[in-house]
């Protein structure tokens, strides 16, 4: 369990409730779920949601549900559509952003959803690069062992 | 169904149930201790962050020291003028009442609680005073006798204030000096629009908008803003106007809650 990942979640929860209400937390949690361990993604979604509600003064549990649903959706379709496809990331982040706001009864925020899709792309390309590097290391190890 | 997926599904349902349980416990006010503990730590941090945000906005909006000083003087005089206009009207009405009835009318008594502005997000201001300080939903918040908003939510150590610029805000208002009635609404972009003013009413820029007090939500005659631009469409039943708030809510450090 990467406990240090709670730190950026805490930071983004503060930013989202004090500076600007852009969905930074959903962005971080989705990226963690898609790149990292799936169960950690769900756990970070729950804890991030509780933090968000505590800092914003809203009902506890609402933001957790609002984060859990899109993260679970992302994990379900991660198998079907392969997270290696950037179109999948764009569509997924767009839909997840809308789901989050609708669960919190904050209306259709299409502009934010569009921005989320764009912001997800750098992390997609970084994750693909890390995956390719990982595969190359794996091939090198196989060759050296044989 | 793979083992990993079924594990994830179980975890998802478990965490969702926990979330629903938290929601229920919070509704029944069983989690006040948790909120209080977090707010004790978080409020000073939020205050520091909001201070930095305020400094950033002030630097962004100012171009030279002279303009800043002049603008500050203009803002002060406008606020003072708005306050004096309301006081004059009130005094005139009182004098007429005394003349007619020869009875003493006691002014409303309320205590004032200063509170710090921790953040302004999408028309909602968070203050650092809550239930423990005696704050309740429905109380009016002012700054130098200008309306800031109304308390809509309270936690142990914070309260949420709905500002006039909030998207769902609707305030019944009067326009001075004509006494015409209208409704002041907030927009998604954080602007103020005056609506439901009869076409026959004559609206002029710089006319003062005050709360009418009709609904009982806000005290009457509290200034809110000034007309910036009249949006007249002769085809419509009502005319509208853009209103400029008298206060820059983001830059307010301390406000007063009327208890």
């Amino acid at each position: 369990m990467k406990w240090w990942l709670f730190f950026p979640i805490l930071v983004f929860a503060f930013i989202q409730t004090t500076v600007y209400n852009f969905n930074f937390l959903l962005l971080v949690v989705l990226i963690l779920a898609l790149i990292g361990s799936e169960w950690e993604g769900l756990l970070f979604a729950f804890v991030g949601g509780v933090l968000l509600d505590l800092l914003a003064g809203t009902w506890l549990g609402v933001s957790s549900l609002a984060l859990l649903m899109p993260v679970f959706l992302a994990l379900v379709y991660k198998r079907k559509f392969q997270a290696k496809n950037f179109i999948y990331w764009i569509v997924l982040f767009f839909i997840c952003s809308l789901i989050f706001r609708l669960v919190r009864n904050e209306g259709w925020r299409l502009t934010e959803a569009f921005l989320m899709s764009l912001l997800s792309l750098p992390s997609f390309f970084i994750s693909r690069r890390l995956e390719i590097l990982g595969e190359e290391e794996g091939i090198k190890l196989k060759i050296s062992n044989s | 169904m793979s083992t990993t997926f079924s594990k994830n599904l179980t975890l998802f349902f478990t965490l969702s149930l926990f979330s629903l349980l938290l929601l229920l416990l919070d509704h029944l006010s069983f989690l006040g201790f948790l909120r209080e503990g977090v707010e004790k730590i978080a409020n000073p941090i939020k205050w520091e962050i909001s201070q930095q945000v305020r400094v950033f906005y002030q630097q962004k909006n100012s171009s030279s020291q002279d303009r800043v000083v002049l603008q500050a003087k203009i803002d002060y005089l406008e606020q003072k003028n708005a306050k004096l206009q309301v006081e004059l009207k009130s005094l005139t009405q009182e004098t007429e009442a005394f003349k007619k009835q020869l009875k003493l009318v006691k002014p409303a008594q309320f205590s004032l609680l200063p509170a710090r502005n921790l953040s302004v997000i999408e028309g909602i201001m968070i203050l650092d005073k809550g239930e423990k300080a005696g704050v309740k939903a429905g109380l009016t918040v002012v700054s130098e006798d200008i309306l800031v908003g109304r308390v809509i939510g309270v936690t142990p150590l914070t309260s949420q204030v709905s500002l006039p610029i909030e998207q769902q805000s609707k305030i019944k208002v009067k326009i001075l000096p004509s006494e015409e009635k209208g409704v002041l609404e907030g927009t998604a972009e954080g602007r103020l629009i005056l609506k439901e003013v009869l076409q026959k009413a004559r609206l002029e820029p710089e006319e003062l908008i005050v709360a009418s007090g009709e609904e009982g939500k806000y005290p009457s005659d509290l200034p809110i803003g000034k007309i910036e631009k009249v949006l007249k469409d002769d085809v419509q039943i009502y005319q509208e106007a853009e209103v400029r708030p008298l206060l820059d809510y983001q830059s307010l450090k301390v406000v007063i809650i009327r208890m």
Side-chain angles (χ1 to χ4, degrees):
Chain A
M1 176 86 179
K2 301 176 193 71
W3 296 103
W4 56 270
L5 284 169
F6 282 114
F7 181 69
I9 286 172
L10 182 65
V11 169
F12 281 115
F14 264 107
I15 292 172
Q16 198 166 325
T17 53
T18 312
V19 181
Y20 188 66
N21 189 15
F22 181 79
N23 221 336
F24 298 108
L25 209 55
L26 178 66
L27 190 70
V28 169
V29 166
L30 271 176
I31 289 169
L32 289 174
L34 288 170
I35 295 177
S37 153
E38 292 172 357
W39 71 269
E40 279 179 354
L42 286 168
L43 194 61
F44 288 136
F46 174 74
V47 172
V50 171
L51 275 171
L52 200 58
D53 287 331
L54 284 170
L55 293 175
T58 46
W59 293 114
L60 270 177
V62 173
S63 295
S64 297
L65 282 169
L67 283 171
L68 279 168
M69 283 182 197
V71 167
F72 186 67
L73 184 77
L75 297 178
V76 164
Y77 284 96
K78 189 178 168 183
R79 282 164 176 70
K80 270 197 167 188
F81 293 109
Q82 287 287 323
K84 293 178 186 179
N85 188 339
F86 77 93
I87 302 280
Y88 161 80
W89 277 62
I90 289 172
V91 172
L92 176 74
F93 276 74
F94 185 88
I95 292 171
C96 287
S97 179
L98 291 177
I99 291 173
F100 178 87
R101 291 299 182 190
L102 285 172
V103 170
R104 288 183 56 152
N105 197 27
E106 289 171 352
W108 294 91
R109 298 205 183 181
L110 294 172
T111 313
E112 184 186 63
F114 178 67
L115 282 171
M116 285 279 283
S117 307
L118 287 177
L119 286 172
S120 71
L121 286 176
S123 47
F124 165 77
F125 290 115
I126 292 169
S127 75
R128 283 296 296 135
R129 185 73 196 139
L130 289 172
E131 217 177 305
I132 290 165
L133 285 171
E135 281 170 5
E136 284 172 359
E137 282 298 312
I139 292 167
K140 281 181 190 171
L141 275 169
K142 270 188 185 173
I143 292 168
S144 65
N145 287 343
S146 64
Chain B
M1 203 185 280
S2 71
T3 316
T4 317
F5 179 74
S6 63
K7 278 183 185 171
N8 287 340
L9 188 63
T10 310
L11 184 60
F12 168 70
F13 278 120
T14 309
L15 291 172
S16 300
L17 278 170
F18 265 126
S19 303
L20 289 169
L21 182 65
L22 281 175
L23 190 58
L24 178 67
L25 290 174
D26 203 17
H27 260 284
L28 298 173
S29 307
F30 287 146
L31 296 175
F33 68 95
L34 178 65
R35 282 196 181 276
E36 195 177 332
V38 171
E39 282 166 8
K40 262 190 186 157
I41 300 165
N43 282 359
I45 300 170
K46 286 174 110 178
W47 171 246
E48 286 306 319
I49 295 172
S50 68
Q51 289 280 71
Q52 296 307 317
V53 169
R54 247 175 244 118
V55 167
F56 171 76
Y57 273 113
Q58 279 166 8
Q59 283 173 354
K60 191 181 150 200
N61 293 333
S62 68
S63 54
S64 73
Q65 194 60 35
D66 287 341
R67 279 180 66 178
V68 168
V69 168
L70 278 170
Q71 188 60 47
K73 278 187 180 169
I74 290 168
D75 289 340
Y76 171 77
L77 286 169
E78 274 185 3
Q79 285 177 19
K80 199 83 183 159
N81 184 38
K83 193 180 160 185
L84 286 169
Q85 279 192 31
V86 171
E87 278 179 5
L88 177 64
K89 186 175 180 297
S90 172
L91 285 168
T92 309
Q93 283 174 348
E94 271 190 45
T95 309
E96 291 303 316
F98 283 140
K99 281 178 183 174
K100 281 178 188 172
Q101 297 177 27
L102 293 174
K103 274 184 186 177
L104 276 173
V105 177
K106 280 189 181 178
Q109 296 290 327
F110 44 75
S111 60
L112 306 175
L113 177 67
R116 294 194 300 185
N117 171 15
L118 296 179
S119 67
V120 175
I121 301 276
E122 293 184 350
I124 302 284
M125 183 184 280
I126 308 285
L127 303 180
D128 73 341
K129 293 285 191 301
E131 266 173 352
K132 291 217 138 198
V135 182
K136 293 175 192 170
L139 294 178
T140 304
V141 180
V142 297
S143 173
E144 299 209 16
D145 285 332
I146 297 170
L147 180 70
V148 172
R150 188 165 167 264
V151 177
I152 55 168
V154 194
T155 66
L157 295 176
T158 65
S159 44
Q160 294 177 348
V161 179
S162 167
L163 304 176
I165 56 172
E166 198 225 334
Q167 193 177 355
Q168 286 159 11
S169 168
K170 281 185 185 180
I171 307 173
K172 288 197 175 169
V173 296
K174 283 186 300 194
I175 302 134
L176 296 181
S178 61
E179 297 276 337
E180 293 291 342
K181 303 249 173 95
V183 175
L184 195 62
E185 292 185 13
T187 68
E189 299 83 33
R191 295 184 300 123
L192 282 174
I193 302 288
L194 178 65
K195 291 185 173 181
E196 296 181 27
V197 180
L198 293 171
Q199 282 287 353
K200 65 173 180 142
R202 193 181 163 81
L203 295 180
E204 299 288 338
E206 297 303 308
E207 281 185 331
L208 187 66
I209 309 293
V210 300
S212 67
E214 277 174 23
E215 306 154 295
K217 281 186 187 175
Y218 300 96
S220 62
D221 298 326
L222 269 181
I224 304 172
K226 284 192 170 182
I227 293 178
E228 197 161 44
K229 186 180 166 188
V230 181
L231 310 164
K232 201 163 178 127
D233 185 351
D234 293 329
V235 179
Q236 304 294 329
I237 301 169
Y238 296 118
Q239 55 179 321
E240 297 183 352
E242 284 180 16
V243 174
R244 181 182 75 247
L246 289 174
L247 296 171
D248 178 4
Y249 304 110
Q250 188 77 45
S251 67
L252 290 173
K253 284 187 187 177
V254 178
V255 295
I256 305 292
I257 305 174
R258 285 191 182 177
M259 308 285 281

